[in-house]
Amino acid sequence: MNYRHGYHAGNFADALKHTALCELLRLLLSKDKKLFVLDTHAGAGGYDLAGKQAERTGEAEAGIARLAAAPRPGMPEAVQRYLAQVAAYDRKFGPPGGALRRYPGSPRLIRAALRPGDRFIACELHPEDALALKREFAGDRAVEVQQADGYKVLKAMLPPPERRGLVLIDPPFEATDEFERLSRAVRQGLRRFATGCYAIWYPIKDEAAAAAFVESLAAPKRLVMELRLGGDVGTGKLTACGLAVVNPPWRFEEAMAEALPWIARCLGPGVRATISAPPANAPAPASPP
């Protein structure tokens, strides 16, 4: 599949991924220690929901638009925080008034959370998106933008001198061997930086391939969240996805266990959310050579 962010900005996958990202950042930044953040496949940074790419799919209407229109009473705090960041970005960069127009990609959500002294590297290989990302953060010395293969940067940058880090891996899945590359990159990252927090997004278009990837994560401390719109996977359109978090911070599972079912109900009938973790004291899966 081709998952260039611009075509899918604000869709159901972003609702899962970005709610989790905002919560991870909040919890990791609650400690008075410097944090390193690496976004390996950052995209363009921000998106026009009325632009050509987003309008071509219209996926935001069934994603962020439904969440933004939901009544606040009963809304989980993690979702409220995510929506507050989306609204703040739209107010700053979108046209005044009217419906939600500008949507923040992961780099913008990360940048909004950073404190002075934290370090952030955003990588994007696609030339057009990399240029847009550089323009998005032009003059912002708190963000280092690299046009580079995020997998290679991940290998080069770990472990960080800060010794505390969040690594977001959100590939476009353009290559047929993407799951293999992704699994290999996570294993290499954990060997270099075993205590880092890794958030890894993946599509579910092949149940067996997605399940095998999750099983390949050689870490006993991991949380797997999946969101499914209903219907069969593998029909061409993305209808299910997951986010695996290795070494999640304390209270993260509790927050997402509240947020995900609410998101599923808000997105519509038939949408299902699951969240699972290995049993306590379970051994890590065997790592392939």
Side-chain angles (χ1 to χ4, degrees):
M1 63 176 288
N2 184 329
Y3 198 86
R4 274 189 73 193
H5 297 288
Y7 291 100
H8 310 283
N11 71 349
F12 80 100
D14 275 357
L16 164 62
K17 176 173 41 184
H18 291 159
T19 299
L21 176 61
C22 289
E23 196 63 15
L24 286 171
L25 289 164
R26 183 184 74 87
L27 294 170
L28 290 169
L29 291 168
S30 65
K31 291 188 176 182
D32 188 22
K33 296 180 180 179
K34 293 181 180 180
L35 185 72
F36 169 68
V37 184
L38 173 61
D39 191 344
T40 63
H41 299 76
Y47 304 96
D48 183 357
L49 296 182
K52 290 182 179 179
Q53 291 184 349
E55 281 203 327
R56 181 174 172 181
T57 62
E59 292 181 11
E61 290 300 316
I64 185 60
R66 292 184 182 178
L67 270 61
R72 290 303 185 267
M75 181 184 292
E77 291 184 2
V79 181
Q80 292 185 41
R81 287 188 282 266
Y82 158 56
L83 292 178
Q85 290 297 329
V86 173
Y89 180 78
D90 184 54
R91 285 195 301 271
K92 185 174 182 179
F93 296 100
L100 178 69
R101 174 70 180 266
R102 295 287 301 182
Y103 184 83
S106 54
R108 273 296 177 186
L109 295 173
I110 293 167
R111 177 64 183 94
L114 294 182
R115 308 159 303 183
D118 295 323
R119 190 161 61 99
F120 175 34
I121 297 177
C123 302
E124 177 54 48
L125 184 59
H126 191 285
E128 184 180 331
D129 287 350
L131 179 59
L133 186 64
K134 290 179 180 179
R135 289 172 175 166
E136 183 81 11
F137 291 106
D140 190 340
R141 300 178 65 183
V143 184
E144 180 182 339
V145 176
Q146 295 188 14
Q147 182 181 352
D149 183 335
Y151 292 132
K152 294 180 180 179
V153 173
L154 187 152
K155 185 177 180 180
M157 292 294 173
L158 300 182
E162 293 86 352
R163 310 305 300 179
R164 297 183 68 245
L166 170 62
V167 179
L168 174 63
I169 309 176
D170 180 17
F173 278 84
E174 294 175 329
T176 56
D177 65 342
E178 195 77 61
F179 270 125
E180 289 80 2
R181 295 187 69 200
L182 181 55
S183 181
R184 185 165 58 250
V186 175
R187 291 197 305 272
Q188 290 175 345
L190 285 168
R191 281 197 293 268
R192 291 171 174 269
F193 186 35
T195 59
C197 178
Y198 299 78
I200 310 118
W201 182 86
Y202 58 94
I204 303 175
K205 304 193 81 174
D206 180 325
E207 295 281 7
F213 164 70
V214 170
E215 286 300 314
S216 77
L217 297 176
K221 294 181 180 179
R222 64 189 188 277
L223 191 68
V224 178
M225 298 160 285
E226 294 185 348
L227 198 58
R228 298 170 179 269
L229 300 183
D232 296 331
V233 301
T235 57
K237 186 177 181 180
L238 183 68
T239 61
C241 70
L243 186 76
V245 179
V246 175
N247 296 327
W250 184 57
R251 304 294 295 271
F252 176 71
E253 181 177 358
E254 177 183 332
M256 296 308 295
E258 178 188 20
L260 280 184
W262 186 93
I263 290 173
R265 291 193 298 271
C266 186
L267 292 180
V271 180
R272 294 182 294 116
T274 59
I275 182 168
S276 61
N281 302 319
S287 297

